[in-house]
Amino acid sequence: MKKLFILVLLFSQFINSQELALVKKDGKFGYISKTGDFVISPKFKVAKNFSEGLAAAEDNGRWGFINPKGDWAIPTTFNEVKYFNSGFCVVLKDKKWCYINKKGETISSPNTEKVFDFEDGIAFIKQNDKIGIINTKMAIVLEPKYEVIKSFEDGFARVRNNDRWGIIDKTGKVVVEIIYDEIGNYFKNTTWAKSGTAFGLIIGGKFKAIDGVDKIWDFHTQDITYARKNDKIGFIGLKGNWTIEPKFDKARAFVKNLAPVYVGKKWGYINLQGKMVIEPSYEDAEIFSKEGLAPVKDKKWGFVNESGKMIIPTQYEISAGGVFALFKDDEKGFVNGLARVKNEKKWGFLKTDGQVLGSQWFENAELFQK
C-alpha cells in the first residue's frame, strides 16, 4: 500500500511539473504534452496557457482555472483573468480588478490606480501617477516615485523621471543614476546609454562615449553587443571597444559565438572575429537557440546548424508566440527542444530532427509552459 501511495504521489508530481501546450483542434482548445498526446482533450471554447501549474479557461462567459489534469482548481467566477506569477493572478470580479491566490481567494493589496501583474516576486503600484513596487507580502518595497518603471530583467529595471532614465534593482536601489536621455538593459554591471547627443556604455557607474555611434542595442547572452556608426553596424565589448568594426548593413545578437549579419541584401553569420562562417544567402536569419539551430528564410523558414548545414528545409512559417503568448523572452525558433511552426495554415511543433511532434497539426498552437 505504501509503495502504491508513493507511485501515485510521484505520478501526480510528474503531471503537475510537465510542460503543456495549448492547442486548438476542431474549434476547441485542449492541451498536449511533449509526447504530442492530449493530456486535456479539446473541450474549451476559450482557454489560456498554463502558468505556475494553472490555466485559465472559460465556461458560459465566466473564467476559472484548471489544473494539469483538466480538473477545475478555481471555480469560474471571474469576468476576466490574466496569468499566475509568484503565486498571484490579476482578475476582474464584480467590475473590480484584484489579486487572487492559487486557492482563488481574494488578496488585499496597497491602494493602486492600476493592478499590475506580479513578475518574479514583485509588482508595481500606481499612486498619483507615480509608480512604486510591492512584494508578495503586499508590502511596499519602493514608494511610488517614478513616472515609468519598465519590466525587471535579471533583477534590474529601467526607470524614468523628468524625461531622464536610470536603473534600479528590486529593492529600489539606484544602480545607474537617473540622468540619461536613453538607457539599455543592465548586463554584468554595464549598460548602454545616450547622454546628450553621445551614445556609449556606462561601466562601473561612469559613462564612456563611443565616438560616432548613433545607436546601441541591448546586450543579449554574450559579452558583446552591436552598435551603429556611419550607417554601418559592428560589435562592441563590455569595455566599449570595437571588437568587430562597423561594416554590416544590419545585424542581430551573438549566441553560441555566431551572429546574423546582413550583407549585399542577404543574411549570413559571422564568428567573434568577424569572419563570415555561413555565407550570406538568406532573405532573413534569426539568432541561434541553445539547441544549436537557427531559423533562416528562403521564401519560407527552415533551420541550419552551426556549420551552416540545412537541417530542416525552408518550408515553414515561424513566430515567437501566438494569440495568447505571455512571456517576454519567447524566441522564434527552438525553445526547450521544440519549434512552433506553421505549415499550410496549420500550427505544430518540430523536433530538432525535423520530425513533427505527434505527427499532428492544429488550428492554433502555443508554446509549452508549466
Side-chain angles (χ1 to χ4, degrees), residues 225-370:
T225 191
Y226 45 122
R228 185 175 65 201
K229 179 179 180 179
N230 298 328
D231 291 327
K232 294 293 183 181
I233 295 174
F235 291 82
I236 56 175
L238 287 172
K239 294 183 179 180
N241 301 320
W242 291 103
T243 60
I244 300 172
E245 291 297 319
K247 57 183 177 181
F248 304 106
D249 298 315
K250 299 177 185 178
R252 294 190 173 115
F254 267 97
V255 179
K256 299 185 78 68
N257 297 329
L258 295 169
V261 294
Y262 189 67
V263 180
K265 298 184 179 180
K266 293 289 184 179
W267 286 87
Y269 291 83
I270 58 171
N271 61 18
L272 290 171
Q273 290 72 48
K275 179 183 177 183
M276 193 72 69
V277 293
I278 300 176
E279 291 300 317
S281 56
Y282 299 104
E283 293 178 15
D284 204 349
E286 294 287 343
I287 60 175
F288 274 86
S289 66
K290 66 180 182 182
E291 290 83 0
L293 296 173
V296 293
K297 185 179 182 181
D298 185 8
K299 294 184 180 178
K300 290 191 175 182
W301 290 88
F303 296 84
V304 295
N305 65 14
E306 294 168 63
S307 64
K309 181 182 178 181
M310 184 69 68
I311 302 300
I312 299 173
T314 52
Q315 63 186 64
Y316 301 103
E317 295 177 44
I318 63 172
S319 174
V323 178
F324 305 109
L326 68 156
F327 296 108
K328 58 181 176 289
D329 60 351
D330 286 345
E331 296 177 354
K332 295 180 180 179
F334 278 88
V335 178
N336 295 329
L338 294 169
R340 176 181 180 270
V341 299
K342 188 176 184 181
N343 184 40
E344 296 180 353
K345 298 182 180 180
K346 295 284 188 177
W347 289 95
F349 299 94
L350 295 181
K351 296 187 284 188
T352 54
D353 61 1
Q355 296 296 308
V356 178
L357 180 69
S359 301
Q360 290 198 80
W361 295 96
F362 305 97
E363 294 155 38
N364 188 52
E366 304 292 327
L367 295 176
F368 280 85
Q369 310 289 355
K370 288 183 180 179

Side-chain angles (χ1 to χ4, degrees), residues 63-163:
W63 287 88
F65 293 85
I66 59 172
N67 63 25
K69 296 179 182 179
D71 301 324
W72 290 104
I74 300 175
T76 53
T77 58
F78 308 107
N79 302 104
E80 292 184 43
V81 298
K82 296 190 178 180
Y83 293 92
F84 273 94
N85 189 300
S86 310
F88 299 101
C89 181
V90 177
V91 301
L92 179 64
K93 186 176 183 179
D94 300 327
K95 298 181 180 181
K96 182 180 179 181
W97 289 99
C98 61
Y99 293 109
I100 60 168
N101 62 18
K102 289 189 176 182
K103 296 179 181 179
E105 299 167 332
T106 301
I107 305 298
S108 298
S109 64
N111 290 331
T112 178
E113 295 161 19
K114 178 183 176 181
V115 180
F116 293 83
D117 294 313
F118 269 85
E119 293 183 32
D120 299 325
I122 60 169
F124 302 141
I125 57 170
K126 187 176 184 181
Q127 297 175 356
N128 300 316
D129 288 331
K130 296 288 187 179
I131 307 295
I133 299 171
I134 59 173
N135 61 21
T136 54
K137 295 180 180 179
M138 299 298 169
I140 295 176
V141 175
L142 173 66
E143 292 289 342
K145 59 187 290 188
Y146 294 108
E147 296 166 358
V148 175
I149 305 179
K150 295 288 189 179
S151 293
F152 278 83
E153 299 177 46
D154 298 321
F156 301 94
R158 314 172 207 209
V159 298
R160 188 187 76 195
N161 258 350
N162 301 318
D163 291 326

